Each structure stands twice: as C-alpha cells, then as structure tokens.
Amino acid sequence: MSAYFALIASLPILLVIFLMAGLMWPATRAMPAAWAVTALLALFAWKMEGIRILAASIEGAIGAFNILVIVFGAILLLNTLQKSGAMEVINGGFFGISPDRRVQAVIVGWMFTSFVEGAAGFGTPAALAAPLLVGLGFPPAAAVTIALIFDSTSVTYGAVGTPIIVGVRNAVEGILPAAINIELFLFQVGAWSALFHLLIGTFLPLLAIIIMVRFFGENGSINEGLQAAPFALLGGLSFTIPCFLIAFFFGPELPSLIGALIGMPIMLWAAKKNFLTPRGRWDFPTDREKTADDDGAKKASDGSSGGDPTGKATLGLPLAWAPYLFIALILVITRIPAFGLKDVLQIWSISWDNILGQEGISYSLQPLFLPGIIPFLLISIITIFLHRMKAGKVAMAWKTTFGQLIPATIALIFAVAFVRVMVQSGVNRAGLESMLLTLSGFAARLAGGLWPLLSPFTGVLGAFISGSNTVSNLLFGGFQYGIAEKSSFAPAIILALQTVGGAIGNMIAVHNVVAACTVVGIPGQEGRIIRYNLLPALVYTLAAGLLGILLTCL
C-alpha cells in the first residue's frame, strides 16, 4: 500500500519531468498542470478538505511574491546597468588582461560569471559572460560551453542566497520539527554546501579549461589544459575559500558575491604579474572558418547595452562598478547583526496567519529586509542619477524588466503553490502522511544507505527540467528532507547535496543552454553544448555524492 501511495505522490513530479524534459513545455505551462494534478490527488487520494487545498495554494501563490520581488530587483539593476552603458564599460575593462585564452577563461568565465550570479542570478550570468567571451575572441560554441560550466558553483547561493533562503525554506517549512530553528537550519545547509564546493568546485576551472582545449583547440590536447593547472587552481581557491568562509561565518546570502569580489582582484593581479600563468600562449585555431553564426555572435557581443550610441564609453570603470560595490556593502552591513541594521529592517512585517482559518498555513513578508527592495531596487534608482541616465533609457530598463518577469511570475506562482499543497497534505481524512513524506519514505527504503550518492543527482534533475536551482530546491527539498529523517542522515547535509546538485544542473539546464546559444547567435546547437557539458556535470555530481556518503558516515 505504501508503494501505491508513493507512486501516486510522485505523479506531479513525474509530470513536470515529462512535460518539460520530454515534451519541452515551458514552465509557464508545466507548473499549472502540476498544480492541478496535485490538487486533484490531494482532494481524492489524500482526502484533504477543499478549503485547505485552496489555503495551501494561496500560501504558495503569495509566497511566490517574495521570490518575484528579488527577481524583479536583480533583473532591474542589470537592465539599468545595461541601458546606462555600465555593462559595456565593465566588459571593456576585461580586454587586455592576457592574450592566453586559458587565463581569460578563468578570469571572465569563472570570476565574472560567479560575481554576476551572486549579484543578479536567475539565468543572467551565462547570458552576459558568453557574449563577453565572444567579444574577446572565443568561438561562440566555446564561449557558451565555458560560461555554462562556470555558472554552477556560485548558483548554490544565486542572487543573495535565494536558492537556499527561498527555495529550501519553502520546501521544508511545515516539515521541520518545531524544535529546529529554520534560520539556523538554512545557515547549516549553506555552510555544508560551501564545504562541498570548496573540496570539489576548486577543481572546476581546471576541468573547464581541459574541456575547452580538448574540444575547441587545434590539437585537442589535454596536456595544453594541464599546463594551466597552477593558475586554474589558484582561480578555484581564490573563489571557494572566501565563499566557504562567508557561508560558514555569515550565512548563505553573500558567499558568491563576496567570494567573487575577493577572488577577482587576486586573479587580475596574478594575470598582470604572470604569477602561476601557463608558459607560452594558447589560442583557438586561427584558420577556423568564419560563419554567419560568428557574425551573429559578434553582433550580440557588440550590441550596445546602453551608453553613448557612437560606442564610446561615457562612464569610467570605477563609476560603472560602483552600483555593484554599493550592493555588496549594503548587504554586508544589513546582514551582519553586529552592525545593528538587521533587526531594524526586520521590524516592519506583513503577515497572514492561518490563511482561510487553516491551522499552520501562513504567510509573512519583511519588505525592507527583502533584498529585491534593499539593496536592488534602491541601488537601481540611485544608479539613474549616478550615471545620469536619460528618461528614455530608464523607461526601457523598467519595461524590459516587467516583460522578463511575466513568464517567471506564472511559473513561480504555480510551482510554489503545488509544492505547498504537497507539504500541507499531511492534514487529511485518509490517515496518510503528507505526499512528500510518503514519497520520501518509500525512496528511503528503496535506496537505503546509498541515498547521499543519489541526492545531488536529484538536484541536477530538478535544475535540468526547470532551469533554476531555486525551483529544484522547491520541487525536491521536502522530499530530500523526508528521506534524511527516515534514513537517519543529517538533514542539513542531504539538503546541501540537493542545492549543490541544483547548481551543477545549471550547466545542462535546457532553458539556460537555449538562452546562452540564442544570445551569441548559434541557435540550434543546444544539443552539442549539452553533450560537452555532460562530462563536467557528471564528474562534479558523482564527486559530491561520494563525498556525501563519507560525510554522512562520519
């Protein structure tokens, strides 16, 4: 009987996989379908009260608003910087770093992508880094491959910790025992995730360079990649060490942002001083055939992101970087309790307890503490005056942001709603555990002690089908927690493996691959890119799983 109900409970998740990975439905269609199926199962199989299903759906829908505010603020800032010309200046600042493509890949592909992920997230890093790499002279397919491989480690924390603070929180709220402080639990998940990335992600720059020289080099020699090992490992450590320290001491909001801000100057200095840089110069084949795709990619990289229409920079490099530096500063002083601002910003709270009279179904919002408002929206407005933007450019930035937000709004509302119905289904007339606990209990018995090995693969699957680590954590976070509880694994480690897997899945997520290929002008080559990225994704995931088994045993 337990297997029967576990199969039924898995139907919404299997449906999402089938619709998105099989039929290639967008999340805007797949998530509403998943919510509808979940509601029907809750009503007829779990025998939930209709009013409770509605209340849980409302809880999810308005809970998605918190995520959307962050998405809006992050994308608005990015669009504002594009229209002001700041992104063009920042891109230009990377030219002349080094003639060696391996060095350029580490600094631009690894460090810049990680920084943008920590500041903006939500699919923007690869879409920014790939055209920049093309502008530096990378073949479009190589640029997309490199950008997507590197847009992984930092994705665990995304824009100011959203995958953990929002994704994991919404997945486990209502499941965590009352004795466990959810803020402390999320802190632990972030710290364990950073440990996995420190021990494994440090080697990602080297692995990415090997992939680059193997598939895009004239000789296809792995040795040409290994020659850059000292510089690549320095690049890995320059990000993962500060990332780990920030996560361990301050929480999951700042690791990617601060890690990249610390690591980038180190790597720029190392490149300038030729410290640990590879001997000789490695480049892509010079006689590669020029194609229409290359022309499209060049236009994508040259296409003005704002600023002076003549193409001349109107901002200095310090002024262009200023908004991002302000964001890092504000996040630090508002998230570290010692500065005294954290409690002040959390005073104003909007809440709805016991929605529709249903016990344990509630919603809360702390507007001033939500990073979408402070600092993203605040700095976006300040940037208008700081960069002396014209009204037309400002209007374009806001219009573009709202246009990008519409698909995310539909997908997130129904994604969070169907997860909350699954979580709240524990209150029913059928005498069953919630759908997630029923499903996780069966999986725990099936997998036994091997689940830590499988846990990150689950995260990869969620990101692959949804294109988002946050959504992957929403889909599978409660499921992973239930298995951890029933198998006596440390829940924080299992959830960390989930978030690490969700980050790795970003390398091959269909949505992200399509977006990156489109922006550099090589549509139709998505399958080729996914094939290239499968190897690093598999290696990273398998290493995380094996390390997970070791840590859970210890």
Side-chain angles (χ1 to χ4, degrees), residues 123-297:
T124 57
L128 276 176
L132 174 53
L133 289 169
V134 171
L136 288 171
F138 283 58
V144 172
T145 300
I146 290 298
L148 286 168
I149 291 175
F150 281 139
D151 189 21
S152 52
T153 301
S154 55
V155 174
T156 284
Y157 304 100
V160 291
T162 301
I164 293 176
I165 293 173
V166 176
V168 174
R169 178 193 293 274
N170 279 279
V172 302
E173 258 185 339
I175 300 177
L176 279 178
I180 297 180
N181 181 291
I182 192 167
E183 302 298 335
L184 177 60
F185 180 74
L186 297 177
F187 190 101
Q188 293 171 340
V189 171
W192 280 110
S193 300
L195 179 62
F196 282 109
H197 287 312
L198 174 64
L199 298 177
I200 304 169
T202 295
F203 299 94
L204 185 64
L206 176 58
L207 182 58
I209 287 176
I210 290 174
I211 295 291
M212 181 179 75
V213 301
R214 172 65 181 85
F215 291 110
F216 299 100
E218 186 172 9
N219 302 319
S221 170
I222 292 176
N223 287 333
E224 292 176 331
L226 293 174
Q227 291 168 7
F231 188 80
L233 292 174
L234 176 65
L237 290 169
S238 295
F239 174 75
T240 57
I241 288 178
C243 183
F244 170 76
L245 293 175
I246 294 296
F248 190 81
F249 288 106
F250 301 112
E253 292 177 304
L254 302 172
S256 294
L257 184 65
I258 302 299
L261 278 176
I262 292 173
M264 194 180 298
I266 294 174
M267 299 313 296
L268 288 171
W269 172 85
K272 185 177 181 180
K273 298 295 184 181
N274 288 319
F275 179 67
L276 298 181
T277 53
R279 292 182 179 180
R281 172 186 174 182
W282 187 89
D283 203 348
F284 298 101
T286 55
D287 59 345
R288 66 188 180 92
E289 184 180 354
K290 185 176 177 63
T291 65
D293 286 344
D294 294 330
D295 290 334

Side-chain angles (χ1 to χ4, degrees), residues 461-479:
L461 176 63
F464 173 75
I465 63 176
S466 68
S468 166
N469 193 10
T470 300
V471 175
S472 178
N473 293 341
L474 277 167
L475 289 174
F476 296 117
F479 167 69

Side-chain angles (χ1 to χ4, degrees), residues 68-149:
L68 290 167
V69 171
I70 301 173
V71 176
F72 175 79
I75 296 177
L76 175 63
L77 176 67
L78 181 63
N79 287 332
T80 300
L81 292 175
Q82 286 179 328
K83 300 305 178 186
S84 76
M87 289 309 303
E88 190 174 353
V89 174
I90 290 172
N91 291 351
F94 286 111
F95 282 83
I97 295 170
S98 168
D100 194 302
R101 302 300 185 186
R102 296 166 296 185
V103 173
Q104 293 175 355
V106 173
I107 294 175
V108 178
W110 171 245
M111 285 298 178
F112 181 66
T113 296
S114 298
F115 172 78
V116 177
E117 181 63 44
F122 305 106
T124 57
L128 276 176
L132 174 53
L133 289 169
V134 171
L136 288 171
F138 283 58
V144 172
T145 300
I146 290 298
L148 286 168
I149 291 175

Side-chain angles (χ1 to χ4, degrees), residues 477-516:
F479 167 69
Q480 298 259 25
Y481 183 86
I483 291 181
E485 283 284 279
K486 291 179 181 296
S487 301
S488 299
F489 295 127
I493 295 179
I494 298 300
L495 265 296
L497 287 167
Q498 159 65 36
T499 66
V500 168
I504 298 168
N506 213 54
M507 296 185 195
I508 55 174
V510 176
H511 297 61
N512 298 335
V513 176
V514 170

